[in-house]
Amino acid sequence: MKDIMIATGNPNKVREYREMLEPLGYKVHDLSEIEHIEVEETGDTFEANALIKAFSVNRSVNMMTIADDSGLEITCLNNEPGIHSARYLAGHDYAYKNRVLIERVRGAADRSARFVCAIALVEGEKKARTFVGVMEGEIAEEPRGNNGFGYDPIFLVPQYGMTSAQLTPEQKNSISHRGQATRALLAYLNEKNEETA
Ligand code: IMP
């Protein structure tokens, strides 16, 4: 079995990666197994921040490392909250953050927005690649739906005419930024497996 480290403190992400990677023959490790590493996300793109996280952790472990970074870009707000999505209006819950964003977008001619996810895979000190997924949509007039998390209730998915919080997890995964980036990562790992088989 090959070892792979998931560089995230989010247990849901660890579980999802474990479900996808174990069938490919990977033994999935997470940050609870190593000493805490403080990582400053100083990059100005999702890809840069994913790489910073993956490289920082990879220096302490002797195995391939995955990290991801994601967020919501709103065109008429200069792509805010963007890479600051997790920290935007820190201390407030998402019901509040979502109301604020709807107010900020009210009246805008262009309500377009996108969720972006970058996954970085570090295979060695100088060997890394990133996989990026983008889901295009619009900011809804009102929050709707109880599935998903974060900004899902205000993100309108045009092909469904629903917010991503109204989609089932399967529907969301099949089109989402994270689903796309993950499938690209898995395709790469599969190819790699076949080469070394
Ligand atoms: P991180 O990728 O853990 O740094 O978190 C990114 C932040 O972007 C999350 O805390 C959410 O606020 C937001 N975000 C990323 N992906 C999604 C999504 O699929 N739905 C809703 N919000 C998301």
Side-chain angles (χ1 to χ4, degrees):
M1 257 200 170
K2 291 156 296 233
D3 293 288
I4 194 162
M5 168 62 72
I6 313 298
T8 173
N10 180 334
N12 291 315
K13 285 188 184 174
V14 174
R15 181 180 43 78
E16 284 187 14
Y17 280 115
R18 179 165 285 127
E19 285 164 7
M20 294 182 291
L21 295 171
E22 280 182 353
L24 294 184
Y26 289 92
K27 180 163 168 43
V28 174
H29 300 264
D30 66 70
L31 293 181
S32 66
E33 297 169 32
I34 62 170
E35 226 174 273
H36 178 74
I37 301 171
E38 199 59 51
V39 181
E40 262 197 78
E41 291 178 32
T42 49
D44 51 15
T45 62
F46 295 105
E47 284 170 279
N49 282 329
L51 282 166
I52 289 171
K53 286 186 258 187
F55 269 117
S56 311
V57 171
N58 182 255
R59 274 182 220 112
S60 312
V61 297
N62 193 16
M63 63 180 90
M64 285 204 290
T65 305
I66 288 173
D68 63 20
D69 197 43
S70 59
L72 174 67
E73 293 183 344
I74 303 177
T75 312
C76 69
L77 301 182
N78 263 326
N79 289 336
E80 275 183 57
I83 55 167
H84 307 293
S85 291
R87 288 161 277 164
Y88 179 65
L89 297 174
H92 293 278
D93 61 15
Y94 277 93
Y96 177 82
K97 296 186 202 201
N98 284 336
R99 278 199 304 277
V100 170
L101 286 175
I102 284 180
E103 275 316 309
R104 291 184 66 193
V105 171
R106 204 171 287 292
D110 180 359
R111 306 184 67 89
S112 66
R114 67 209 61 80
F115 274 124
V116 183
C117 175
I119 300 177
L121 171 71
V122 169
E123 297 183 67
E125 210 178 312
K126 292 210 173 77
K127 190 163 182 217
R129 58 183 69 221
T130 53
F131 306 88
V132 180
V134 179
M135 172 164 65
E136 298 283 351
E138 280 169 25
I139 299 303
E141 303 273 353
E142 297 297 336
R144 273 189 277 148
N146 298 308
N147 299 336
F149 67 100
Y151 302 106
D152 279 326
I154 63 166
F155 189 83
L156 204 55
V157 183
Q159 64 262 53
Y160 283 100
M162 291 195 266
T163 68
S164 44
Q166 293 176 298
L167 301 181
T168 63
E170 292 73 26
Q171 284 172 324
K172 185 179 163 189
N173 280 339
S174 71
I175 54 169
S176 78
H177 49 316
R178 197 165 297 101
Q180 293 174 39
T182 304
R183 283 189 288 279
L185 165 74
L186 293 183
Y188 170 76
L189 289 175
N190 254 325
E191 219 172 86
K192 208 174 129 77
N193 275 355
E194 277 162 24
E195 276 165 20
T196 54

